[in-house]
Amino acid sequence: MSEALSINSWTWIFVGATFSLYLYIAWRSRVRSTGEFYVAGRGVPAPANGMATAADWMSAASFIGMAGSISTMGYAGGVYLMGWTGGYVLLALLLAPFLRKSGRYTVPEFVGDRYESNVARGVAIVCAIFVSFTYVAGQMRGVGVVFSRFLEVDINVGILIGMAIVFIYATLGGMKGITYTQVAQYWVLITAFLIPAIAISIKLTGTPLPQVGLGSTLKESLVDGESGIYLLDKLNSIQEALGFGSYTEAFVGNWDKWNVFFVALALMAGTAGLPHVIVRFYTVKNIGAARWSAFWALLFISLLYLTAPATGAFARYYMIETLNGATREDLPSWYVKWEKTGLVAWLDDGDGKVVYSKGADNEIFNRGAAGDSFNSIRERHALWVGSKGAQGEDGRIELAKHAKTAGPDKDIIVLATPEMAELANWIIAFMAAGGLAAALSTASGLLLVISSSVSHDLYGRIINPEAPDSKKLLIGRTTIGLAVVVAGVLGINPPGFVSEVVAFAFGLAASSFFPALVLGIFSRRVGAIPAISGMLVGIGFTGFYIIGVQFLGMEKWTFGLFEQGINPQGIGSLGMILNFAVTLVLARFCAAAGPRAQQLIDTIREPEGVGPAVDIEQAMDH
């Protein structure tokens, strides 16, 4: 029965069913007050909030990008896994309980009240919007990738469909609707991720646990009857034969030990400063529930994160085995289908055989540089075929300068793996539904952060503090609509692949929010001027470097530590250090926190059950 339906048919079934479920939940959860719109009325049970947090956290970067990065980068790709996991623990233990006890709705609101400054609140609003828009660009990109392949529509059309769905359930239900929609999205995405991983592990090694299969031996039928050949050993030998280096080698290329350290640190600190993750801890009843939410979320997150390295290795094995050396007649079906998206291109040198290797001989590229169409790459290749050898220059070297990167686009690798392994059509289609759930769940949370920053923090706390709830809700919903449009534009013209774009957002959060939140909770000495200066210096420095390297052709800085320069994904660590340094130095010369801020610090740092309870409404009004 399953093979009687095409992948496209199964995809429409799964996507239609899941989208209908999301919209139904949003309709049932529609809200009429700001408390429900921003923090779901603070009544979400801890297990449900844990699932919603996990879905919010496991974005397209985790579902699509992380395993794709591990697949292409090998051991070094684990930097994303380590940074994001460590950062979540840091957030749960260091910040979340204190922020929940503060009684504030948003991060900018806490910053404004803690530092007793609307200027600090305004800077935090700008930082929140900047970080969220950078992050949401990666999610919209993931939506477009899924739609472009599995529904066979243009990638930009796919982004537009995703925008419409997010807009409907985010504006209807606010945080309440988003929370319960994310509970459903969690089960869709985790099931869609685990089923192919388990099936492939059995197919390659006979082991149903992918984590065990990663370190197991391949079936003898896959290695010409030889026995005892481990999957990772096989990958190492294949990679080295193609010039890529060992798959399990710790530090390769521009991923030296310092870059790995700085990127991991930026991801950790950025996680602890991400507004859309922090706000999830405001939706529960009390601090105890916030702590249990963190436990449940980490448990649910671990199911995907502990499986991603195996999925990445399986994908790498199948991609090379099915692609390299193939001829025109026996190109794998997965490649033929994904080629239509423009995210992978075979630029044959005329011998009719695919060459996938490191260096000038490589014939596999993804789409060209920003603004280049798939056809323009083919046109350049046609010109090279007609004039190859002219002046003794290998045209493939020139082509590599224009192509975005060697090899297929990293964002297709996880989604294409079930097809590479020739799994059932329904599994391949279900993977698409999971990818959409991951991208949409995080996108909705990010859009709510942008909405709350404008309607609650900017309009409700600065411009018109006396505004009624109905006015704030109208502005909040209007802001979501405008934010969806901007997010779509960024998704259509992303500054990089999904994990890379999301890493930029983490760096921006690390350099702006993390020091302000940590010092705001644990230092009585820091006042408004040092905090504002630190945030501006941190995000300004980090944003300048990312934009300069990614868009303006600026050379990477070495600082005497990095052989090939520090990666833009890791510059947030230096931005964070600058933020801390500026804040702490200025704190010695500027006024300390005022009495109301001191009282807030005392309140949030008292053990639960000690001292007066926080009056949320009073906290909102003062």
Side-chain angles (χ1 to χ4, degrees):
M1 171 61 183
S2 63
E3 297 307 316
L5 293 177
S6 66
I7 295 173
N8 186 269
S9 298
W10 274 115
T11 303
W12 277 111
I13 291 172
F14 283 125
V15 171
T18 54
F19 276 22
S20 298
L21 175 61
Y22 305 154
L23 294 174
Y24 172 74
I25 293 173
W27 174 256
R28 289 296 303 270
S29 305
R30 59 192 185 278
V31 298
R32 295 178 177 83
S33 70
T34 53
E36 290 180 310
F37 189 81
Y38 295 130
V39 290
R42 302 189 191 271
V44 180
N49 195 54
M51 277 182 271
T53 305
D56 209 351
W57 176 244
M58 291 188 296
S59 63
S62 293
F63 191 97
I64 298 174
M66 182 172 65
S69 296
I70 293 173
S71 178
T72 54
M73 295 166 58
Y75 184 93
V79 66
Y80 292 101
L81 191 154
M82 292 184 293
W84 286 332
T85 305
Y88 182 81
V89 175
L90 186 66
L91 168 64
L93 297 178
L94 186 67
L95 297 179
F98 302 105
L99 294 174
R100 173 61 187 85
K101 196 174 183 183
S102 75
R104 272 58 181 174
Y105 278 0
T106 66
V107 172
E109 183 179 19
F110 173 81
V111 170
D113 288 353
R114 161 59 182 85
Y115 294 108
E116 299 178 293
S117 167
N118 275 340
V119 175
R121 192 189 316 276
V123 171
I125 291 169
V126 172
C127 291
I129 293 173
F130 193 19
V131 170
S132 298
F133 270 130
T134 304
Y135 203 145
V136 82
Q139 311 315 308
M140 291 295 102
R141 157 80 172 176
V143 170
V145 170
V146 174
F147 273 124
S148 66
R149 160 62 188 94
F150 292 100
L151 296 184
E152 297 181 0
V153 298
D154 182 80
I155 189 170
N156 297 340
V157 174
I159 291 173
L160 293 175
I161 296 173
M163 289 166 55
I165 296 296
V166 171
F167 172 75
I168 292 172
Y169 71 72
T171 54
L172 269 180
M175 178 56 80
K176 184 177 180 182
I178 287 171
T179 296
Y180 291 105
T181 299
Q182 286 172 337
V183 171
Q185 286 168 331
Y186 171 77
W187 288 111
V188 172
L189 74 88
I190 197 64
T191 307
F193 196 87
L194 292 178
I195 288 177
I198 293 170
I200 294 173
S201 182
I202 293 172
K203 191 169 185 177
L204 286 178
T205 68
T207 305
L209 291 177
Q211 299 85 350
V212 177
L214 177 63
S216 299
T217 57
L218 290 166
K219 289 183 177 180
E220 294 183 14
S221 59
L222 299 174
V223 286
D224 299 326
E226 298 182 46
S227 60
I229 299 179
Y230 286 90
L231 170 63
L232 290 176
D233 286 339
K234 180 68 172 178
L235 262 181
N236 283 340
S237 64
I238 294 174
Q239 291 248 134
E240 290 167 359
L242 297 176
F244 288 108
S246 174
Y247 186 78
T248 57
E249 186 177 348
F251 306 112
V252 293
N254 63 341
W255 286 95
D256 54 62
K257 63 181 179 180
W258 284 110
N259 262 311
V260 169
F261 172 77
F262 274 87
V263 172
L265 179 60
L267 295 175
M268 287 181 63
T271 298
L274 279 179
H276 80 285
V277 177
I278 292 174
V279 75
R280 293 245 51 96
F281 293 95
Y282 297 162
T283 63
V284 292
K285 296 179 180 178
N286 51 47
I287 299 173
R291 291 195 176 98
W292 275 108
S293 291
F295 165 78
W296 286 113
L298 195 58
L299 175 65
F300 294 133
I301 290 169
S302 68
L303 294 178
L304 187 146
Y305 272 41
L306 293 177
T307 308
T311 299
F314 297 158
R316 188 67 173 176
Y317 172 83
Y318 272 116
M319 184 173 64
I320 296 176
E321 284 287 283
T322 60
L323 196 57
N324 190 56
T327 65
R328 292 183 187 277
E329 291 73 26
D330 63 358
L331 277 170
S333 60
W334 71 265
Y335 169 83
V336 175
K337 294 173 181 177
W338 277 98
E339 186 182 28
K340 297 176 183 177
T341 68
L343 299 175
V344 58
W346 171 33
L347 305 173
D348 185 19
D349 65 0
D351 67 357
K353 289 187 177 182
V354 177
V355 176
Y356 183 28
S357 63
K358 187 175 183 179
D361 290 335
N362 184 48
E363 298 173 357
I364 295 294
F365 297 91
N366 75 351
R367 70 169 60 215
D372 281 355
S373 67
F374 179 61
N375 288 333
S376 70
I377 302 178
R378 282 204 174 280
E379 289 166 4
R380 282 199 298 271
H381 176 250
L383 291 174
W384 166 67
V385 170
S387 62
K388 61 181 179 179
Q391 300 177 352
E393 182 179 1
D394 188 338
R396 282 168 294 189
I397 296 176
E398 182 63 26
L399 176 66
K401 294 177 183 176
H402 293 282
K404 199 174 193 180
T405 185
D409 191 297
K410 293 180 181 180
D411 295 336
I412 77 170
I413 292 173
V414 170
L415 296 172
T417 300
E419 292 180 274
M420 297 179 193
E422 299 180 334
L423 300 183
N425 286 347
W426 72 267
I427 296 179
I428 297 170
F430 195 32
M431 173 67 88
L436 289 173
L440 295 177
S441 62
T442 303
S444 59
L446 291 164
L447 291 171
L448 192 67
V449 166
I450 296 169
S451 171
S452 60
S453 295
V454 173
S455 63
H456 177 69
D457 297 310
L458 179 60
Y459 181 78
R461 297 301 303 273
I462 297 177
I463 297 176
N464 186 8
E466 304 302 322
D469 268 10
S470 58
K471 185 75 170 181
K472 293 178 184 177
L473 278 176
L474 175 62
I475 292 177
R477 286 172 167 147
T478 303
T479 302
I480 286 180
L482 296 174
V484 165
V485 174
V486 177
V489 172
L490 292 173
I492 292 170
N493 299 286
F497 61 88
V498 173
S499 287
E500 186 179 43
V501 175
V502 169
F504 296 156
F506 279 78
L508 293 168
S511 62
S512 57
F513 283 127
F514 183 69
L517 294 175
V518 170
L519 295 175
I521 294 170
F522 297 102
S523 174
R524 298 174 180 274
R525 188 72 187 83
V526 178
I529 293 177
I532 294 168
S533 302
M535 284 191 289
L536 290 175
V537 169
I539 199 167
F541 170 82
T542 304
F544 168 79
Y545 187 84
I546 291 173
I547 293 171
V549 172
Q550 288 298 117
F551 300 106
L552 304 179
M554 187 175 77
E555 292 291 327
K556 295 179 181 179
W557 298 342
T558 63
F559 298 103
L561 292 176
F562 308 91
E563 293 181 6
Q564 300 184 40
I566 182 171
N567 289 332
Q569 300 98 302
I571 196 66
S573 294
L574 292 181
M576 176 188 68
I577 293 171
L578 278 177
N579 188 333
F580 271 118
V582 169
T583 303
L584 293 175
V585 169
L586 289 179
R588 299 177 62 87
F589 304 100
C590 299
R596 299 181 73 168
Q598 298 280 3
Q599 183 180 10
L600 176 62
I601 294 171
D602 290 339
T603 300
I604 63 177
R605 288 176 58 182
E606 285 173 345
E608 189 173 8
V610 176
V614 177
D615 187 331
I616 294 173
E617 295 302 323
Q618 183 180 358
M620 293 295 300
D621 293 335
H622 75 68

